[in-house]
Amino acid sequence: MSQQAQHVSIIEVGPRDGLQSEPEVLPTAVKIEFITRALDAGIRRLEVSSFVHPKRVPQMADAEDVIRGLPAREGVTYIGLVLNRKGFERAQVTGIHEIGMAVVASDTYNQRNQGVPTSESVKAWIDIARAAKAAGIRANVMISSAFGCPYEGEIPVARVLELVDQVMEGDPIELGFADSIGVAVPNQVTDLLGAVMARVPGVPIRCHFHNTRNTGIANAQAALVAGVASLDASIGGIGGCPFAPAATGNIPTDDLLYMLDRSGIHTGVSLEKIIATSQWLQEQLGRSTPAMLPKAGIFPQIAEKNRAAGGAV
């Protein structure tokens, strides 16, 4: 039976997961404007940067400067990604509202992404979560590649549940599941989330889908029906994972928001302003982005304009 929420929180990840995978390194001032535009559109929770080694991810080398320049807005939460204790210590100094930690479901991918086995990342998460709590900083954790790994293939549900048990020791404010390489399909999403919700009832769940194989929006819908009320998305659909082969394509905030709006699901975010931001972002990158709504336009407003002009609808 459907448990679909009538209000969904969109976590904008374009400034972090989006930009970190793009070849361009945008100026700090442009990143701050990107985030400000998202806020003006109604986004209230954003991944703004990551505290990782600048040689590995040069797009995020100015994390401290970005956060220093962000506007103070009531009810807004800025999130920074950390992968180890050193990253957390950098984040803590900035006064970031929330930190997120990623633990990859497969050892091979975790080793390539973070330089250690998954078990070591779990230990680091628990240590970081405790330090964050002591410092009054919110902390969330995401199990990445929960639906498939580019190196090990299928990820059994049992493996994900094993990691759920382990990371819950850190008492996260939210538990996330990422399809980091865009291989998931809706029934897989339904099965995994059903098992997770039975395992940890009452824990807020967040999902992060990639559209690499054109299933991202369908997977988002499956997550909504399962009862998830927090979804990641990236304005323009930019980004992916820089450490996985061909793992391009976060689901576009534009396209997700269109589906939600047309379904009568409240987000508090303006689709018109998100599309305008996508168009602005294309100018900054010097090329088009994957999102469909900036290209196709919003329905039914377009039809209404045609009708008013006496054109065919």
Side-chain angles (χ1 to χ4, degrees):
M1 182 177 294
S2 172
Q3 307 175 60
Q4 182 164 306
Q6 295 307 304
H7 181 280
V8 170
S9 173
I10 296 178
I11 295 92
E12 176 57 46
V13 299
R16 196 279 301 175
D17 194 36
L19 292 181
Q20 78 171 13
S21 302
E22 298 299 323
E24 299 83 4
V25 179
L26 296 183
T28 301
V30 173
K31 293 178 182 178
I32 293 170
E33 183 174 353
F34 184 17
I35 293 165
T36 302
R37 284 173 173 267
L39 296 178
D40 291 343
I43 295 289
R44 287 297 172 263
R45 196 163 168 231
L46 312 85
E47 285 192 352
V48 293
S49 195
S50 60
F51 297 88
V52 293
H53 200 294
K55 288 185 178 179
R56 297 200 75 197
V57 188
Q59 294 88 339
M60 298 288 107
D62 59 350
E64 286 87 351
D65 291 336
V66 168
I67 293 167
R68 192 178 301 118
L70 293 178
R73 298 278 184 95
E74 187 71 27
V76 167
T77 299
Y78 295 130
I79 307 170
L81 179 74
V82 303
L83 298 179
N84 51 42
R85 184 61 184 255
K86 184 175 182 179
F88 168 71
E89 290 169 355
R90 285 180 57 198
Q92 183 178 2
V93 172
T94 68
I96 194 82
H97 303 142
E98 180 178 333
I99 58 98
M101 170 85 179
V103 173
V104 187
S106 70
D107 273 325
T108 306
Y109 192 4
N110 202 86
Q111 188 77 48
R112 293 192 180 222
N113 189 54
Q114 302 185 27
V116 296
T118 302
S119 60
E120 290 301 311
S121 287
V122 171
K123 291 178 183 176
W125 150 248
I126 293 172
D127 174 61
I128 289 167
R130 289 170 178 164
K133 188 173 184 178
I137 301 171
R138 292 159 50 96
N140 74 73
V141 65
M142 183 164 287
I143 298 177
S144 301
S145 289
F147 301 92
C149 169
Y151 308 106
E152 297 183 17
E154 299 286 354
I155 300 295
V157 171
R159 167 59 173 166
V160 178
L161 294 179
E162 175 188 0
L163 285 174
V164 167
D165 291 341
Q166 293 173 14
V167 300
M168 284 304 296
E169 290 186 33
D171 191 26
I173 58 120
E174 178 182 68
L175 181 58
F177 297 89
D179 181 21
S180 308
I181 58 170
V183 295
V185 293
N187 67 327
Q188 187 182 13
V189 172
T190 300
D191 291 346
L192 177 61
L193 292 178
V196 168
M197 291 175 178
R199 191 77 154 223
V200 286
V203 174
I205 304 296
R206 168 184 170 192
C207 286
H208 177 108
F209 296 112
H210 285 197
N211 203 38
T212 313
R213 291 166 177 81
N214 208 34
T215 57
I217 295 293
N219 291 333
Q221 175 63 25
L224 291 174
V225 172
V228 170
S230 293
L231 293 170
D232 287 7
S234 172
I235 291 173
I238 62 170
C241 180
F243 303 109
T248 55
N250 287 294
I251 59 173
T253 307
D254 325 47
D255 301 353
L256 175 64
L257 190 55
Y258 174 78
M259 181 186 76
L260 297 174
D261 282 355
R262 291 276 288 167
S263 301
I265 299 173
H266 179 67
T267 63
V269 181
S270 165
L271 177 55
E272 290 84 356
K273 289 183 178 181
I274 292 294
I275 289 175
T277 300
S278 271
Q279 293 166 339
W280 170 85
L281 183 59
Q282 288 179 150
E283 295 174 1
Q284 308 311 308
L285 296 174
R287 54 185 163 76
S288 64
T289 56
M292 299 302 294
L293 260 293
K295 303 175 182 71
I298 303 171
F299 177 87
Q301 285 91 330
I302 299 302
E304 290 170 354
K305 288 179 181 178
N306 286 338
R307 186 180 297 110
V313 295

